[in-house]
Amino acid sequence: FEAGLKALKKALGRTGLRVIDGVDIANLSGREMVGSLVRFIDGRPFKAGYRRYRIQTISGQDDFAAIGEVVFRRFRRLRDEDQLPPDLLLVDGGPGQLGRAVESLRAVGADRVTVLSLAKRAEEIYLPDRENPLVLPRTNPGLKLLQYVRDEAHRFAQHYHHILRRRSVLGERVDAPRKKRRKG
């Protein structure tokens, strides 16, 4: 964990990097859309800092807008409760997701937070102040740490999404009128 933080600090040119929050979205064709936020401290999961969000303002499938909603709600709450923001916010996705996260941070007055996105396929790191993505070797411990945070946010979002889908499906079965069986 320490090697990952050290490598990440070097790659990003940061000195203080202890707390990392990771955000992801899960849905099935826009239904039961949820967001997750995971918190890592010193490179390790801090489960008490995990949060899950039901997306409230989006209808249909719009992952960019959903990312924006989760980031806005999270950082508004941190501001309102006078809590410290993370040292780094990691968003799952590419430039589109990053752009929405940056907009939300600005809207809530948290635009000094370092934010980046990590695109799954090529594992490219997008930063708001860079035109081209940062590409680290696949063996770089800093990249491995970002992948760990991203994958944990994804796992946590999927878990919540599956809970809501099961409730929805079971609710439909329970509420559906039963057909009477004919005797004979």
Side-chain angles (χ1 to χ4, degrees):
F1 298 113
E2 200 172 301
L5 279 174
K6 189 175 181 180
L8 192 54
K9 286 179 192 177
K10 182 178 178 186
L12 298 176
R14 291 280 318 248
T15 51
L17 186 60
R18 248 192 108 216
V19 180
I20 302 172
D21 282 358
V23 174
D24 193 16
I25 301 298
N27 69 83
L28 179 63
S29 302
R31 291 185 29 217
E32 305 296 345
M33 188 175 283
V34 299
S36 71
L37 180 130
V38 297
R39 176 158 277 194
F40 278 57
I41 298 177
D42 294 329
R44 291 183 165 82
F46 178 67
K47 304 267 179 159
Y50 283 28
R51 300 290 179 265
R52 52 191 194 185
Y53 299 85
R54 276 188 127 158
I55 302 303
Q56 300 170 345
T57 62
I58 315 303
S59 61
Q61 186 168 348
D62 187 345
D63 285 0
F64 298 159
I67 286 282
E69 179 182 323
V70 170
V71 170
F72 182 83
R73 287 170 59 189
R74 171 63 171 173
F75 283 84
R76 181 183 59 196
R77 184 171 195 149
L78 291 176
R79 180 197 66 201
D80 292 351
E81 295 179 358
D82 203 26
Q83 295 181 33
L84 290 175
D87 299 314
L88 175 68
L89 174 64
L90 169 65
V91 177
D92 181 30
Q97 287 87 347
L98 177 64
R100 281 301 180 98
V102 168
E103 286 175 18
S104 292
L105 289 170
R106 280 191 190 125
V108 79
D111 51 337
R112 299 185 82 196
V113 171
T114 299
V115 58
L116 59 84
S117 66
L118 181 61
K120 278 187 185 94
R121 195 173 13 122
E123 302 296 358
E124 295 173 324
I125 301 167
Y126 292 91
L127 297 149
D129 57 350
R130 286 181 58 132
E131 189 175 325
N132 296 315
L134 175 63
V135 179
L136 299 176
R138 296 271 181 168
T139 56
N140 182 291
L143 176 61
K144 297 251 185 233
L145 176 58
L146 290 177
Q147 290 168 326
Y148 183 27
V149 174
R150 185 224 22 229
D151 293 347
E152 181 66 0
H154 181 75
R155 183 201 63 77
F156 194 57
Q158 289 295 323
H159 176 70
Y160 185 42
H161 173 70
H162 289 299
I163 288 171
L164 294 182
R165 275 186 46 210
R166 278 195 304 269
R167 284 182 191 165
S168 174
V169 169
L170 291 175
E172 289 172 8
R173 281 191 203 142
V174 170
D175 297 335
R178 290 182 169 202
K179 291 184 179 180
K180 293 183 179 179
R181 289 187 178 183
R182 289 186 172 174
K183 292 183 181 178

